[in-house]
């Protein structure tokens, strides 16, 4: 009887000793290993002109440690509007988002060490989508202004303005607004380009140089055709559009920036989402300081849009 008790006690002592030395169930170790596994970051698609730059970006560990917890599990959920090249457009598969905004989104996500999804929504649905929590932020060539700041807080990421498209070789010798006096220009009707053309027209008349003849069209393409056909000496549009069109040799045009028309474009988030705002601002500043931001802009031929640092609600 005593021998049996001593045997059982010895077996129990061995079990306790094994446990104290760190013995664990095999599945417990697997779970620990799985939880420590690093996030596999998204690769930029091949048609992203900045893919090589983006895919070389590694997380900033200090920033990654401070991202909102939901981003670590759910990834960064982003909304844009994919119909405004070169800022936002679809790749040749008709599904994948490319353009400067998706490039910078992927760069920010990699810097923060999180995965990202980009969803296409029409422009008027984007702010409500952020406010309801469906998306973490909107990046969609959105001007940061006082009216929108009443709904969202913006991390300003580029400064963009208007531009001119002229025929290749610039036969009319146009370099700025003063050279438009007495000339014919084409614009998209009921937009900021029309307002700018009307302002230049008034300035020319006031200076006694003769006003502009303004041709109005429903879209950019119709307005551009007037330049190619010689009916207009210039077309006023967004600067980002001029760079995109001028890069296509088949169109036979070149772009000119209209200095002094620039405004800040921002990444919009819920104002009370303070951690995310600071994370995005920090990631963008890290990209700027490392030079990766400039390389992404250069890949899309948009270096002129660069800001020196990320600001919050810097638009007026």
């Amino acid at each position: 009887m005593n021998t049996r008790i001593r045997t059982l006690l010895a077996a129990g002592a061995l079990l306790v000793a094994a446990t104290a030395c760190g013995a664990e169930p095999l599945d417990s170790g697997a779970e620990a290993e799985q939880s420590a596994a690093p996030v596999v970051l998204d690769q930029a698609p091949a048609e992203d002109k900045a893919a090589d730059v983006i895919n070389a970006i590694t997380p900033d560990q200090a920033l990654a440690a401070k991202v909102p917890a939901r981003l670590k599990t759910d990834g960064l959920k982003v909304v844009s509007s994919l119909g405004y090249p070169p800022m936002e457009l679809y790749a040749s598969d008709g599904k994948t988002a490319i353009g400067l905004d998706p490039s910078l989104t992927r760069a920010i996500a990699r810097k923060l060490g999180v995965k990202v999804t980009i969803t296409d929504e029409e422009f008027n649905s984007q702010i409500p989508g952020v406010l309801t929590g469906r998306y973490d932020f909107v990046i969609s060539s959105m001007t940061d202004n006082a009216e929108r700041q009443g709904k969202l807080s913006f991390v300003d990421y580029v400064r963009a303005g208007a531009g001119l498209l002229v025929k290749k070789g610039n036969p009319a010798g146009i370099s700025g607004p003063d050279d438009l006096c007495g000339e014919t220009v084409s614009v998209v009707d009921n937009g900021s380009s029309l307002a700018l053309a009307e302002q230049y027209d008034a300035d020319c008349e006031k200076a006694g140089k003769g006003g502009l003849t303004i041709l109005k069209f429903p879209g950019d393409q119709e307005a551009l055709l007037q330049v190619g056909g010689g009916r207009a000496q210039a077309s006023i549009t967004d600067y980002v559009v001029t760079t995109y069109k001028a890069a296509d040799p088949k169109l036979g045009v070149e772009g000119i920036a209209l200095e002094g028309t620039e405004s800040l474009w921002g990444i919009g988030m819920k104002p009370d989402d303070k951690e995310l705002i600071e994370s995005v601002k920090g990631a963008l500043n890290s990209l700027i300081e490392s030079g990766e931001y400039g390389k992404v802009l250069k890949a899309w031929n948009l270096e002129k849009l660069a800001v020196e640092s990320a600001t919050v609600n810097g638009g007026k």
Side-chain angles (χ1 to χ4, degrees), residues 22-37:
E24 295 180 1
L26 291 176
D27 58 349
S28 174
E31 288 174 6
E33 185 178 345
Q34 185 177 10
S35 64

Side-chain angles (χ1 to χ4, degrees), residues 27-173:
D27 58 349
S28 174
E31 288 174 6
E33 185 178 345
Q34 185 177 10
S35 64
V39 174
V40 178
L41 299 178
D42 297 307
Q43 295 286 300
E47 289 182 52
D48 188 322
K49 293 183 179 181
D52 290 345
V53 178
I54 294 166
N55 293 338
I57 294 172
T58 56
D60 181 311
Q61 297 302 330
L63 291 172
K66 296 179 181 179
V67 298
R70 70 179 191 273
L71 267 62
K72 296 178 182 179
T73 55
D74 301 335
L76 186 62
K77 296 177 291 185
V78 176
V79 63
S80 192
S81 185
L82 306 181
Y84 184 56
M87 297 302 292
E88 313 99 12
L89 64 154
Y90 279 115
S92 58
D93 63 5
K95 298 183 294 184
T96 306
I98 59 173
L100 179 62
D101 283 350
S103 289
L104 286 175
T105 297
R106 294 184 179 105
I108 288 169
R110 288 185 68 91
K111 189 63 73 172
L112 294 177
V114 298
K115 297 182 74 65
V116 62
T117 56
I118 303 171
T119 301
D120 180 25
E121 289 264 18
E122 61 98 10
F123 198 80
N124 291 333
S125 299
Q126 293 171 359
I127 291 178
V130 172
L131 292 176
T132 58
R134 184 177 179 189
Y135 305 111
D136 295 304
F137 71 59
V138 52
I139 180 169
S140 192
S141 304
M142 187 174 285
T143 302
D144 172 9
N145 57 35
E147 179 183 356
R148 291 191 177 120
Q149 286 172 19
K151 297 178 180 177
L152 299 179
S153 285
F154 292 92
V155 171
D156 301 315
Y157 68 106
V158 292
R159 183 182 295 275
L164 297 170
L165 281 167
V166 298
K167 202 166 187 176
K168 195 74 173 178
N170 197 5

Side-chain angles (χ1 to χ4, degrees), residues 217-284:
F217 298 91
D220 276 319
Q221 190 58 33
E222 296 96 328
L224 177 59
L225 288 172
Q226 311 311 307
V227 176
R231 189 180 174 198
Q233 284 71 56
S235 180
I236 302 176
T237 184
D238 290 342
Y239 173 73
V240 296
V241 174
T242 70
T243 62
Y244 188 71
K245 299 293 187 183
D248 186 346
K250 298 191 296 293
L251 297 178
V253 293
E254 55 187 77
I256 300 167
L258 284 169
E259 305 294 341
T261 62
E262 298 87 354
S263 60
L264 288 168
W265 289 359
I267 300 169
M269 289 156 278
K270 286 196 294 186
D272 61 355
D273 206 348
K274 304 296 185 184
E275 282 186 337
L276 180 62
I277 293 169
E278 287 304 311
S279 291
V280 172
K281 179 184 175 184
L284 191 56

Side-chain angles (χ1 to χ4, degrees), residues 277-295:
I277 293 169
E278 287 304 311
S279 291
V280 172
K281 179 184 175 184
L284 191 56
N285 276 326
S286 180
L287 291 166
I288 291 171
E289 291 164 9
S290 68
E292 293 159 326
Y293 166 84
K295 291 177 182 177

